[in-house]
Coordinates of all heavy atoms in Angstrom, one line a residue:
L728 N 3.5 5.8 -3.1 CA 4.9 6.2 -3.4 C 5.6 5.1 -4.1 O 6.2 5.3 -5.1 CB 5.6 6.6 -2.1 CG 7.0 6.9 -2.2 CD1 7.2 8.1 -3.0 CD2 7.7 7.0 -0.8
I729 N 5.4 3.9 -3.7 CA 6.1 2.8 -4.4 C 5.7 2.7 -5.8 O 6.4 2.5 -6.8 CB 5.9 1.4 -3.6 CG1 6.5 1.4 -2.3 CG2 6.4 0.2 -4.4 CD1 6.2 0.4 -1.3
M730 N 4.4 2.8 -6.1 CA 3.8 2.6 -7.4 C 4.3 3.8 -8.3 O 4.7 3.5 -9.5 CB 2.3 2.5 -7.4 CG 1.7 2.2 -8.7 SD 0.0 1.9 -8.7 CE -0.3 0.8 -7.4
M731 N 4.2 4.9 -7.7 CA 4.7 6.2 -8.5 C 6.3 6.1 -8.7 O 6.7 6.7 -9.6 CB 4.3 7.4 -8.0 CG 2.9 7.6 -8.0 SD 2.3 7.6 -9.6 CE 0.6 7.5 -9.4
T732 N 6.9 5.4 -7.8 CA 8.4 5.4 -8.1 C 8.7 4.6 -9.3 O 9.7 4.8 -10.0 CB 9.1 4.7 -6.8 OG1 8.8 5.6 -5.7 CG2 10.7 4.7 -7.0
T733 N 7.9 3.7 -9.7 CA 8.1 2.9 -10.9 C 8.0 3.8 -12.2 O 8.4 3.4 -13.2 CB 7.2 1.7 -11.0 OG1 5.8 2.3 -11.0 CG2 7.4 0.8 -9.9
G734 N 7.5 4.9 -11.9 CA 7.3 5.9 -13.1 C 8.8 6.4 -13.5 O 9.0 6.9 -14.6
I735 N 9.8 6.0 -12.8 CA 11.2 6.4 -13.2 C 11.5 5.6 -14.5 O 12.3 6.1 -15.3 CB 12.2 6.2 -12.1 CG1 11.9 7.2 -11.0 CG2 13.6 6.1 -12.5 CD1 12.7 6.9 -9.7
W736 N 11.0 4.3 -14.6 CA 11.4 3.5 -15.6 C 10.2 3.5 -16.8 O 10.4 3.1 -17.9 CB 11.6 2.0 -15.3 CG 12.8 1.9 -14.2 CD1 14.0 2.1 -14.6 CD2 12.6 1.6 -13.0 NE1 14.8 2.0 -13.6 CE2 14.1 1.7 -12.4 CE3 11.7 1.5 -12.0 CZ2 14.3 1.4 -11.1 CZ3 12.0 1.2 -10.6 CH2 13.3 1.2 -10.2
L737 N 9.1 3.9 -16.4 CA 8.0 3.9 -17.4 C 7.9 5.2 -18.2 O 8.1 6.3 -17.7 CB 6.7 3.6 -16.7 CG 6.8 2.2 -16.0 CD1 5.4 1.9 -15.2 CD2 7.0 1.1 -17.0
V738 N 7.3 5.2 -19.3 CA 7.2 6.5 -20.0 C 5.8 7.2 -19.8 O 5.8 8.3 -19.6 CB 7.3 6.3 -21.6 CG1 6.9 7.4 -22.4 CG2 8.6 5.5 -21.9
K739 N 4.8 6.4 -19.6 CA 3.4 6.9 -19.4 C 3.1 6.8 -18.0 O 2.8 5.5 -17.6 CB 2.5 6.3 -20.5 CG 2.6 6.6 -21.9 CD 1.4 6.1 -22.6 CE 1.6 6.6 -24.0 NZ 0.3 6.4 -24.7
V740 N 3.1 7.6 -17.2 CA 2.8 7.6 -15.7 C 1.3 7.8 -15.6 O 0.8 7.6 -14.3 CB 3.7 8.6 -15.0 CG1 5.0 8.1 -14.8 CG2 3.4 10.0 -15.4
E741 N 0.6 8.2 -16.5 CA -0.9 8.5 -16.4 C -1.6 7.1 -16.0 O -2.6 7.0 -15.3 CB -1.5 9.0 -17.7 CG -1.1 10.4 -18.0 CD 0.1 10.4 -18.9 OE1 0.5 9.3 -19.6 OE2 0.8 11.5 -18.8
N742 N -1.1 6.0 -16.7 CA -1.6 4.7 -16.4 C -1.3 4.2 -15.0 O -2.2 3.6 -14.4 CB -1.1 3.7 -17.3 CG -1.4 4.0 -18.8 OD1 -2.5 4.5 -19.0 ND2 -0.5 3.5 -19.8
L743 N -0.2 4.7 -14.4 CA 0.0 4.4 -12.9 C -1.0 5.0 -12.1 O -1.4 4.6 -11.1 CB 1.5 4.8 -12.5 CG 2.6 3.9 -13.1 CD1 4.0 4.5 -12.7 CD2 2.5 2.6 -12.4
W744 N -1.4 6.3 -12.5 CA -2.3 7.1 -11.7 C -3.6 6.4 -11.7 O -4.2 6.3 -10.6 CB -2.3 8.4 -12.1 CG -3.1 9.4 -11.3 CD1 -4.5 9.7 -11.4 CD2 -2.8 10.0 -10.0 NE1 -4.9 10.4 -10.4 CE2 -3.8 10.7 -9.7 CE3 -1.5 10.1 -9.5 CZ2 -3.9 11.5 -8.6 CZ3 -1.5 10.9 -8.3 CH2 -2.7 11.6 -7.9
V745 N -4.1 6.0 -12.8 CA -5.3 5.2 -12.9 C -5.3 3.9 -12.2 O -6.2 3.6 -11.4 CB -5.6 4.9 -14.4 CG1 -6.9 4.1 -14.5 CG2 -5.9 6.3 -15.2
L746 N -4.1 3.3 -12.2 CA -4.0 2.0 -11.5 C -4.1 2.3 -9.9 O -4.7 1.4 -9.3 CB -2.7 1.2 -11.9 CG -2.4 0.0 -11.3 CD1 -3.5 -1.1 -11.6 CD2 -1.1 -0.5 -11.6
S747 N -3.3 3.2 -9.5 CA -3.3 3.5 -8.1 C -4.8 3.9 -7.6 O -5.1 3.5 -6.5 CB -2.5 4.5 -7.8 OG -2.7 5.8 -8.3
D748 N -5.5 4.6 -8.4 CA -6.9 5.0 -8.0 C -7.8 3.8 -8.1 O -8.6 3.6 -7.1 CB -7.5 5.9 -9.1 CG -7.4 7.4 -8.6 OD1 -7.0 7.6 -7.6 OD2 -7.8 8.3 -9.5
S749 N -7.5 2.8 -9.0 CA -8.4 1.6 -9.0 C -8.0 0.7 -7.8 O -9.0 0.2 -7.2 CB -8.2 0.8 -10.2 OG -8.4 1.6 -11.4
V750 N -6.9 0.6 -7.4 CA -6.5 -0.1 -6.2 C -6.9 0.6 -5.0 O -7.6 -0.2 -4.1 CB -4.9 -0.2 -6.1 CG1 -4.5 -0.8 -4.8 CG2 -4.5 -1.1 -7.4
L751 N -6.9 1.8 -4.9 CA -7.5 2.5 -3.6 C -9.0 2.4 -3.7 O -9.6 2.7 -2.5 CB -7.0 3.9 -3.6 CG -5.6 4.0 -3.4 CD1 -5.2 5.5 -3.3 CD2 -5.3 3.5 -2.0
D752 N -9.7 2.1 -4.7 CA -11.2 2.1 -4.6 C -11.5 0.8 -3.9 O -12.7 0.9 -3.3 CB -11.7 1.9 -6.2 CG -11.9 3.3 -6.8 OD1 -11.8 4.2 -6.2 OD2 -12.1 3.2 -8.0
V753 N -10.7 -0.2 -3.7 CA -11.0 -1.2 -3.0 C -11.0 -0.9 -1.5 O -11.9 -1.4 -0.8 CB -10.0 -2.4 -3.2 CG1 -10.0 -3.6 -2.2 CG2 -9.9 -2.8 -4.6
S754 N -10.1 0.0 -1.1 CA -10.1 0.5 0.3 C -11.2 1.5 0.7 O -11.2 2.0 1.8 CB -8.8 1.0 0.7 OG -8.4 2.1 0.0
R755 N -12.1 1.8 -0.3 CA -13.1 2.8 0.0 C -14.2 2.2 0.9 O -14.9 2.9 1.6 CB -13.7 3.2 -1.2 CG -14.6 4.4 -1.2 CD -15.1 4.9 -2.5 NE -13.9 5.4 -3.2 CZ -13.9 6.2 -4.4 NH1 -15.1 6.3 -5.0 NH2 -12.9 6.7 -4.7
F756 N -14.4 0.9 0.9 CA -15.5 0.3 1.7 C -14.9 -0.6 2.9 O -13.7 -1.2 2.6 CB -16.3 -0.7 0.7 CG -16.8 0.1 -0.4 CD1 -16.2 -0.1 -1.6 CD2 -17.8 0.8 -0.3 CE1 -16.8 0.5 -2.8 CE2 -18.4 1.6 -1.4 CZ -17.8 1.4 -2.6
P757 N -15.6 -0.7 4.0 CA -15.2 -1.6 5.1 C -15.0 -3.1 4.6 O -15.8 -3.5 3.7 CB -16.2 -1.4 6.1 CG -17.2 -0.7 5.5 CD -16.9 -0.1 4.2
I758 N -14.0 -3.8 5.1 CA -13.7 -5.1 4.7 C -14.9 -6.1 5.1 O -14.9 -7.2 4.7 CB -12.3 -5.7 5.1 CG1 -12.2 -5.5 6.7 CG2 -11.3 -4.9 4.6 CD1 -11.0 -6.2 7.2
D759 N -15.7 -5.6 5.9 CA -16.8 -6.6 6.4 C -17.8 -7.0 5.2 O -18.6 -8.0 5.4 CB -17.6 -5.9 7.4 CG -16.8 -5.6 8.7 OD1 -15.8 -6.3 9.0 OD2 -17.0 -4.5 9.5
I760 N -17.8 -6.3 4.1 CA -18.6 -6.7 3.1 C -18.2 -7.8 2.2 O -18.9 -8.4 1.5 CB -18.9 -5.4 2.2 CG1 -17.7 -4.9 1.4 CG2 -19.6 -4.3 2.9 CD1 -18.0 -3.9 0.4
Y761 N -16.9 -8.1 2.6 CA -16.2 -9.2 1.7 C -16.5 -10.5 2.4 O -16.5 -10.6 3.7 CB -14.8 -9.0 1.4 CG -14.6 -7.5 0.6 CD1 -14.0 -6.4 1.1 CD2 -15.1 -7.5 -0.7 CE1 -13.8 -5.2 0.5 CE2 -15.0 -6.3 -1.4 CZ -14.2 -5.2 -0.8 OH -14.1 -4.1 -1.5
G762 N -16.1 -11.7 1.8 CA -16.0 -12.9 2.4 C -14.8 -13.1 3.4 O -14.0 -12.3 3.4
A763 N -14.8 -14.1 4.1 CA -13.7 -14.3 5.2 C -12.4 -14.4 4.5 O -11.4 -13.8 5.1 CB -14.1 -15.5 6.0
K764 N -12.3 -15.2 3.4 CA -11.0 -15.3 2.8 C -10.5 -14.0 2.2 O -9.2 -13.7 2.4 CB -11.0 -16.5 1.6 CG -11.2 -17.8 2.2 CD -11.3 -18.8 1.1 CE -11.6 -20.1 1.6 NZ -11.7 -21.2 0.6
I765 N -11.4 -13.2 1.5 CA -11.0 -11.9 1.0 C -10.5 -11.0 2.1 O -9.6 -10.2 2.0 CB -12.0 -11.4 0.1 CG1 -12.0 -12.4 -1.1 CG2 -11.6 -10.0 -0.4 CD1 -13.2 -12.0 -2.0
M766 N -11.3 -11.1 3.3 CA -10.9 -10.3 4.4 C -9.6 -10.5 4.9 O -8.8 -9.5 5.1 CB -12.0 -10.3 5.5 CG -13.3 -9.8 5.3 SD -14.5 -10.1 6.5 CE -13.8 -9.7 8.0
R767 N -9.3 -11.8 5.1 CA -7.9 -12.0 5.5 C -6.7 -11.5 4.6 O -5.8 -10.9 4.9 CB -7.7 -13.4 5.7 CG -8.3 -14.0 6.9 CD -8.0 -15.5 7.2 NE -9.0 -16.1 8.1 CZ -10.0 -16.8 7.8 NH1 -10.1 -17.2 6.4 NH2 -10.8 -17.2 8.5
V768 N -7.0 -11.6 3.2 CA -6.0 -11.2 2.2 C -5.9 -9.8 2.2 O -4.8 -9.2 2.2 CB -6.4 -11.6 0.8 CG1 -5.6 -11.0 -0.2 CG2 -6.3 -13.1 0.6
L769 N -7.0 -9.0 2.3 CA -7.0 -7.5 2.5 C -6.6 -7.0 3.7 O -6.2 -5.8 3.7 CB -8.4 -7.0 2.1 CG -8.9 -7.1 0.7 CD1 -10.2 -6.7 0.5 CD2 -8.0 -6.5 -0.3
T770 N -6.6 -7.8 4.6 CA -6.0 -7.3 6.0 C -4.5 -7.6 6.1 O -3.8 -6.8 6.6 CB -6.9 -7.9 7.2 OG1 -8.2 -7.5 6.9 CG2 -6.4 -7.4 8.4
Y771 N -4.2 -8.9 5.9 CA -2.9 -9.2 6.3 C -1.7 -9.3 5.1 O -0.6 -9.1 5.3 CB -2.9 -10.6 6.8 CG -3.6 -10.7 8.3 CD1 -4.9 -11.2 8.2 CD2 -3.1 -10.0 9.3 CE1 -5.5 -11.2 9.5 CE2 -3.8 -9.9 10.5 CZ -5.1 -10.6 10.5 OH -5.8 -10.5 11.7
F772 N -2.2 -9.6 3.8 CA -1.3 -9.8 2.7 C -1.2 -8.4 1.9 O -0.1 -8.0 1.6 CB -1.7 -10.9 1.8 CG -1.6 -12.1 2.6 CD1 -2.8 -12.9 3.1 CD2 -0.4 -12.7 3.0 CE1 -2.8 -13.9 3.7 CE2 -0.3 -13.8 3.8 CZ -1.5 -14.5 4.2
V773 N -2.4 -7.8 1.6 CA -2.4 -6.5 0.8 C -3.2 -5.5 1.8 O -4.3 -5.7 1.9 CB -3.2 -6.7 -0.4 CG1 -3.3 -5.4 -1.2 CG2 -2.6 -7.8 -1.3
P774 N -2.5 -4.7 2.5 CA -3.1 -4.0 3.7 C -4.1 -3.0 3.3 O -4.4 -2.1 4.2 CB -1.9 -3.4 4.4 CG -0.9 -3.1 3.3 CD -1.1 -4.3 2.4
L775 N -4.8 -3.0 2.1 CA -5.9 -2.0 1.8 C -7.1 -2.0 2.8 O -7.7 -1.1 3.2 CB -6.3 -2.1 0.4 CG -5.3 -2.1 -0.7 CD1 -5.8 -2.4 -2.1 CD2 -4.8 -0.6 -0.7
G776 N -7.5 -3.3 3.0 CA -8.6 -3.4 3.9 C -8.3 -3.0 5.5 O -9.0 -2.4 6.1
F777 N -7.0 -3.2 5.7 CA -6.5 -2.7 7.0 C -6.5 -1.3 7.2 O -7.0 -0.7 8.2 CB -5.1 -3.3 7.2 CG -4.6 -3.0 8.7 CD1 -4.7 -3.9 9.6 CD2 -3.9 -1.8 8.9 CE1 -4.3 -3.8 10.8 CE2 -3.4 -1.6 10.3 CZ -3.6 -2.6 11.1
I778 N -6.1 -0.6 6.1 CA -6.1 0.9 6.1 C -7.6 1.4 6.2 O -7.9 2.5 6.8 CB -5.3 1.5 4.8 CG1 -3.8 1.1 4.8 CG2 -5.6 2.9 4.7 CD1 -3.2 1.3 3.6
A779 N -8.4 0.7 5.4 CA -9.9 1.3 5.3 C -10.7 1.0 6.6 O -11.5 1.8 6.9 CB -10.5 0.6 4.2
T780 N -10.4 -0.1 7.3 CA -11.3 -0.5 8.4 C -10.8 -0.4 9.8 O -11.4 0.1 10.7 CB -11.7 -1.9 8.1 OG1 -12.4 -1.9 6.8 CG2 -12.8 -2.3 9.1
I781 N -9.6 -0.9 10.0 CA -9.0 -1.1 11.3 C -8.9 0.2 12.1 O -9.3 0.2 13.3 CB -7.7 -1.9 11.3 CG1 -8.0 -3.2 10.6 CG2 -7.2 -2.0 12.7 CD1 -9.0 -4.1 11.1
P782 N -8.4 1.3 11.5 CA -8.2 2.5 12.4 C -9.5 3.0 13.0 O -9.7 3.3 14.2 CB -7.6 3.6 11.5 CG -6.9 2.8 10.5 CD -7.7 1.4 10.3
A783 N -10.6 3.0 12.1 CA -11.9 3.5 12.6 C -12.5 2.5 13.7 O -13.1 2.9 14.7 CB -12.9 3.6 11.4
R784 N -12.2 1.2 13.3 CA -12.8 0.2 14.3 C -12.1 0.4 15.6 O -12.8 0.1 16.7 CB -12.5 -1.2 13.8 CG -13.2 -2.3 14.6 CD -13.0 -3.6 13.9 NE -13.9 -3.7 12.7 CZ -13.7 -4.6 11.8 NH1 -12.7 -5.5 11.9 NH2 -14.4 -4.7 10.8
Q785 N -10.8 0.7 15.7 CA -10.0 0.8 16.8 C -10.6 2.0 17.8 O -10.5 2.0 19.0 CB -8.6 1.0 16.6 CG -7.9 -0.1 16.1 CD -7.9 -1.4 17.1 OE1 -7.4 -1.2 18.2 NE2 -8.3 -2.4 16.6
L786 N -11.1 3.0 17.0 CA -11.5 4.2 17.7 C -13.0 4.1 18.2 O -13.4 4.7 19.2 CB -11.5 5.5 16.8 CG -10.0 5.9 16.4 CD1 -10.2 7.0 15.3 CD2 -9.3 6.5 17.6
T787 N -13.8 3.4 17.5 CA -15.2 3.2 17.9 C -15.4 2.0 18.8 O -16.4 2.0 19.4 CB -16.0 3.0 16.6 OG1 -15.7 1.9 15.9 CG2 -16.0 4.3 15.8
Q788 N -14.6 0.9 18.8 CA -14.8 -0.3 19.7 C -13.6 -0.3 20.6 O -12.7 0.6 20.6 CB -14.8 -1.5 18.7 CG -16.0 -1.5 17.9 CD -16.1 -2.7 16.9 OE1 -15.1 -3.5 17.0 NE2 -17.1 -2.8 16.0
S789 N -13.7 -1.3 21.4 CA -12.5 -1.4 22.3 C -11.2 -1.8 21.5 O -11.3 -2.7 20.6 CB -12.8 -2.5 23.4 OG -13.1 -3.9 22.8
P790 N -10.1 -1.2 21.9 CA -8.8 -1.4 21.1 C -8.5 -2.9 21.2 O -8.5 -3.6 22.2 CB -7.9 -0.6 21.7 CG -8.6 0.4 22.4 CD -9.9 -0.1 22.9
D791 N -8.0 -3.5 19.9 CA -7.4 -4.8 19.9 C -6.0 -4.7 19.8 O -5.5 -4.1 18.8 CB -8.1 -5.4 18.7 CG -7.6 -6.9 18.5 OD1 -6.9 -7.4 19.4 OD2 -8.0 -7.5 17.4
L792 N -5.3 -5.2 20.8 CA -3.8 -4.9 20.7 C -3.1 -5.7 19.6 O -2.1 -5.2 19.2 CB -3.3 -5.3 22.1 CG -3.6 -4.4 23.3 CD1 -3.0 -4.8 24.6 CD2 -3.2 -2.9 22.9
M793 N -3.7 -6.7 19.2 CA -3.0 -7.5 18.1 C -3.1 -6.6 16.8 O -2.2 -6.6 16.1 CB -3.7 -8.8 17.8 CG -3.0 -9.6 16.9 SD -4.0 -11.1 16.4 CE -4.8 -10.5 15.0
M794 N -4.1 -5.9 16.6 CA -4.3 -5.1 15.4 C -3.6 -3.8 15.5 O -2.9 -3.4 14.5 CB -5.8 -4.7 15.2 CG -6.7 -5.8 14.6 SD -6.0 -6.3 13.0 CE -6.5 -8.0 12.9
V795 N -3.2 -3.4 16.7 CA -2.3 -2.3 16.9 C -1.0 -2.7 16.5 O -0.2 -2.0 15.8 CB -2.4 -1.6 18.4 CG1 -1.3 -0.7 18.5 CG2 -3.8 -1.1 18.6
G796 N -0.6 -3.9 16.9 CA 0.8 -4.5 16.7 C 0.8 -4.7 15.2 O 2.0 -4.5 14.5
V797 N -0.2 -5.3 14.5 CA -0.2 -5.5 13.0 C 0.0 -4.2 12.3 O 0.8 -4.0 11.3 CB -1.4 -6.2 12.6 CG1 -1.6 -6.2 11.2 CG2 -1.5 -7.6 13.2
G798 N -0.7 -3.0 12.7 CA -0.6 -1.8 12.1 C 0.9 -1.3 12.3 O 1.4 -0.7 11.3
L799 N 1.5 -1.3 13.5 CA 2.9 -0.9 13.5 C 3.8 -1.7 12.8 O 4.7 -1.1 12.2 CB 3.3 -1.0 15.1 CG 2.6 0.0 16.0 CD1 2.9 -0.3 17.5 CD2 2.9 1.5 15.7
G800 N 3.4 -3.0 12.6 CA 4.4 -3.8 11.7 C 4.3 -3.4 10.4 O 5.2 -3.3 9.6
W801 N 3.0 -3.2 9.9 CA 2.7 -2.8 8.4 C 3.4 -1.4 8.2 O 3.9 -1.1 7.2 CB 1.3 -2.6 8.1 CG 0.8 -4.0 7.5 CD1 -0.1 -4.7 8.0 CD2 1.2 -4.6 6.3 NE1 -0.4 -5.8 7.2 CE2 0.4 -5.8 6.1 CE3 2.2 -4.3 5.3 CZ2 0.6 -6.7 5.1 CZ3 2.3 -5.2 4.2 CH2 1.6 -6.3 4.1
A802 N 3.4 -0.5 9.1 CA 3.9 0.9 9.0 C 5.5 0.7 8.8 O 6.1 1.4 8.0 CB 3.4 1.8 10.1
T803 N 6.0 0.0 9.8 CA 7.5 -0.2 9.7 C 8.0 -0.8 8.4 O 8.9 -0.3 7.8 CB 8.0 -0.9 11.0 OG1 7.5 -0.3 12.1 CG2 9.4 -1.2 11.0
F804 N 7.3 -1.9 8.0 CA 7.7 -2.5 6.7 C 7.4 -1.6 5.6 O 8.3 -1.6 4.7 CB 6.8 -3.8 6.5 CG 6.9 -4.5 5.2 CD1 8.1 -5.1 4.9 CD2 6.1 -4.3 4.3 CE1 8.2 -5.6 3.7 CE2 6.2 -4.8 3.0 CZ 7.3 -5.5 2.7
G805 N 6.3 -0.8 5.6 CA 6.1 0.1 4.5 C 7.1 1.2 4.4 O 7.5 1.5 3.2
L806 N 7.5 1.7 5.3 CA 8.4 2.7 5.4 C 9.8 2.3 5.0 O 10.5 2.8 4.2 CB 8.7 3.5 6.9 CG 9.8 4.4 7.0 CD1 9.4 5.8 6.1 CD2 9.9 4.8 8.4
A807 N 10.2 1.1 5.5 CA 11.5 0.5 5.2 C 11.6 0.0 3.6 O 12.5 0.3 2.9 CB 11.8 -0.6 6.1
F808 N 10.5 -0.5 3.2 CA 10.4 -1.0 1.8 C 10.3 0.2 0.8 O 11.1 0.3 -0.2 CB 9.2 -1.9 1.6 CG 9.3 -2.4 0.1 CD1 10.2 -3.4 -0.2 CD2 8.4 -1.9 -0.8 CE1 10.2 -4.0 -1.5 CE2 8.5 -2.5 -2.1 CZ 9.2 -3.4 -2.4
S809 N 9.6 1.2 1.2 CA 9.6 2.3 0.3 C 10.9 3.1 0.2 O 11.3 3.6 -0.8 CB 8.3 3.2 0.5 OG 8.6 3.9 1.8
R810 N 11.5 3.2 1.3 CA 12.9 3.9 1.4 C 13.9 3.1 0.6 O 14.6 3.6 -0.3 CB 13.4 4.1 2.7 CG 12.7 5.3 3.4 CD 13.2 5.4 4.8 NE 14.7 5.6 5.0 CZ 15.5 6.7 4.7 NH1 14.8 7.8 4.5 NH2 16.6 6.7 4.8
W811 N 13.8 1.7 0.7 CA 14.8 1.0 -0.1 C 14.4 1.0 -1.6 O 15.3 1.2 -2.5 CB 14.6 -0.5 0.4 CG 15.4 -1.5 -0.6 CD1 16.8 -1.7 -0.4 CD2 14.8 -2.2 -1.6 NE1 17.0 -2.5 -1.5 CE2 16.0 -2.8 -2.3 CE3 13.6 -2.3 -2.2 CZ2 15.7 -3.7 -3.3 CZ3 13.5 -3.1 -3.3 CH2 14.5 -3.8 -3.8
F812 N 13.1 1.0 -1.9 CA 12.8 1.0 -3.5 C 13.2 2.4 -3.9 O 13.6 2.4 -5.1 CB 11.3 0.7 -3.6 CG 10.9 0.5 -4.9 CD1 11.5 -0.6 -5.7 CD2 10.0 1.3 -5.6 CE1 11.1 -0.8 -7.0 CE2 9.6 1.1 -6.9 CZ 10.2 0.1 -7.6
W813 N 13.0 3.6 -3.3 CA 13.3 4.8 -3.7 C 14.8 4.9 -4.0 O 15.2 5.4 -5.1 CB 12.8 5.7 -2.7 CG 13.2 7.2 -3.3 CD1 14.3 7.9 -2.7 CD2 12.7 8.0 -4.2 NE1 14.3 9.1 -3.3 CE2 13.4 9.2 -4.3 CE3 11.7 7.8 -5.1 CZ2 13.0 10.2 -5.2 CZ3 11.3 8.8 -6.0 CH2 12.1 9.9 -6.0
R814 N 15.6 4.4 -3.1 CA 17.1 4.4 -3.3 C 17.5 3.5 -4.4 O 18.5 3.8 -5.1 CB 17.7 4.0 -2.0 CG 17.6 5.1 -0.9 CD 18.2 4.8 0.5 NE 18.0 5.9 1.4 CZ 18.6 5.9 2.5 NH1 19.3 4.9 2.9 NH2 18.2 6.9 3.3
F815 N 16.9 2.3 -4.5 CA 17.2 1.5 -5.7 C 16.8 2.1 -7.0 O 17.5 2.2 -8.0 CB 16.4 0.2 -5.4 CG 16.4 -0.7 -6.7 CD1 17.6 -1.5 -6.9 CD2 15.4 -0.9 -7.6 CE1 17.6 -2.4 -7.9 CE2 15.5 -1.6 -8.7 CZ 16.6 -2.5 -8.9
A816 N 15.6 2.9 -7.1 CA 15.3 3.5 -8.2 C 16.2 4.7 -8.6 O 16.7 4.9 -9.7 CB 13.8 4.1 -8.1
M817 N 16.7 5.4 -7.6 CA 17.6 6.6 -7.9 C 19.0 6.0 -8.3 O 19.6 6.6 -9.2 CB 17.8 7.3 -6.6 CG 16.6 8.2 -6.1 SD 16.3 9.5 -7.5 CE 14.9 8.7 -8.3
R818 N 19.5 4.9 -7.8 CA 20.7 4.3 -8.4 C 20.7 3.8 -9.7 O 21.7 3.9 -10.4 CB 21.1 3.1 -7.4 CG 21.8 3.4 -6.1 CD 22.3 2.2 -5.4 NE 21.5 1.1 -5.4 CZ 20.7 0.8 -4.3 NH1 20.7 1.6 -3.4 NH2 20.0 -0.2 -4.3
H819 N 19.5 3.4 -10.2 CA 19.3 3.1 -11.5 C 18.5 4.0 -12.5 O 18.1 3.7 -13.5 CB 18.5 1.6 -11.5 CG 19.2 0.6 -10.9 ND1 19.1 0.4 -9.5 CD2 20.0 -0.4 -11.3 CE1 19.8 -0.7 -9.3 NE2 20.5 -1.1 -10.2
Y820 N 18.5 5.2 -12.2 CA 18.0 6.4 -12.9 C 18.9 6.8 -13.9 O 20.0 7.0 -13.7 CB 17.5 7.4 -11.9 CG 17.0 8.6 -12.6 CD1 15.7 8.7 -13.3 CD2 17.7 9.7 -12.8 CE1 15.2 9.7 -14.0 CE2 17.3 10.8 -13.5 CZ 16.0 10.9 -14.1 OH 15.6 11.9 -14.7
S821 N 18.3 6.9 -15.1 CA 19.1 7.6 -16.2 C 18.3 8.7 -16.8 O 17.1 8.6 -17.0 CB 19.6 6.6 -17.3 OG 18.3 6.0 -17.9
S822 N 18.9 9.9 -16.8 CA 18.3 11.1 -17.3 C 17.5 10.9 -18.6 O 18.2 10.3 -19.5 CB 19.1 12.2 -17.3 OG 18.5 13.2 -17.9
A823 N 16.3 11.4 -18.8 CA 15.7 11.3 -20.1 C 16.4 12.2 -21.3 O 16.3 12.0 -22.4 CB 14.3 11.7 -20.0
S824 N 17.1 13.2 -20.7 CA 17.6 14.1 -21.7 C 19.1 14.0 -22.2 O 19.5 14.7 -22.9 CB 17.5 15.6 -21.2 OG 18.3 15.7 -20.0
S825 N 19.6 12.9 -21.5 CA 21.1 12.7 -21.8 C 21.3 11.4 -22.5 O 20.6 10.5 -22.7 CB 21.9 12.8 -20.7 OG 21.6 11.8 -19.6

């Protein structure tokens, strides 16, 4: 949603679609295949690895309450930021036909 919201200012949104597909390709695989540093980045800073791995791990192994808390934190942050960014974009929107 955040990436596509930038389409308000850009002319060619096809490139955004390709970029979002490329970014999501990273989350196609479990983060266990990456090194320790990349695993930390993909889990805590860019939550693609978190989205790809942690929910399945929570269901198949014993639940880790810290990861549940991190997930709730990311969900809350993502919702708040995407709502703020959408409203920001709508305030600065100018119609293409006028």
Side-chain angles (χ1 to χ4, degrees):
L728 179 64
I729 293 170
M730 192 175 301
M731 290 302 164
T732 301
T733 60
I735 290 172
W736 296 290
L737 303 175
V738 177
K739 292 189 174 188
V740 292
E741 295 88 20
N742 295 334
L743 285 175
W744 187 264
V745 171
L746 179 63
S747 66
D748 261 357
S749 299
V750 168
L751 290 177
D752 278 344
V753 172
S754 65
R755 191 174 289 190
F756 304 104
I758 59 172
D759 299 330
I760 65 172
Y761 302 111
K764 290 180 183 179
I765 295 175
M766 282 175 57
R767 283 190 200 101
V768 168
L769 291 176
T770 300
Y771 297 108
F772 300 108
V773 183
L775 295 173
F777 188 90
I778 293 168
T780 305
I781 302 303
R784 188 177 291 161
Q785 293 295 311
L786 292 172
T787 58
Q788 298 174 1
S789 62
D791 181 5
L792 293 180
M793 185 187 97
M794 284 297 152
V795 171
V797 169
L799 290 173
W801 269 118
T803 303
F804 172 77
L806 177 64
F808 183 75
S809 63
R810 285 181 51 86
W811 171 83
F812 190 60
W813 176 257
R814 290 179 181 186
F815 174 80
M817 289 294 104
R818 279 193 310 268
H819 295 87
Y820 174 73
S821 62
S822 176
S824 64
S825 56

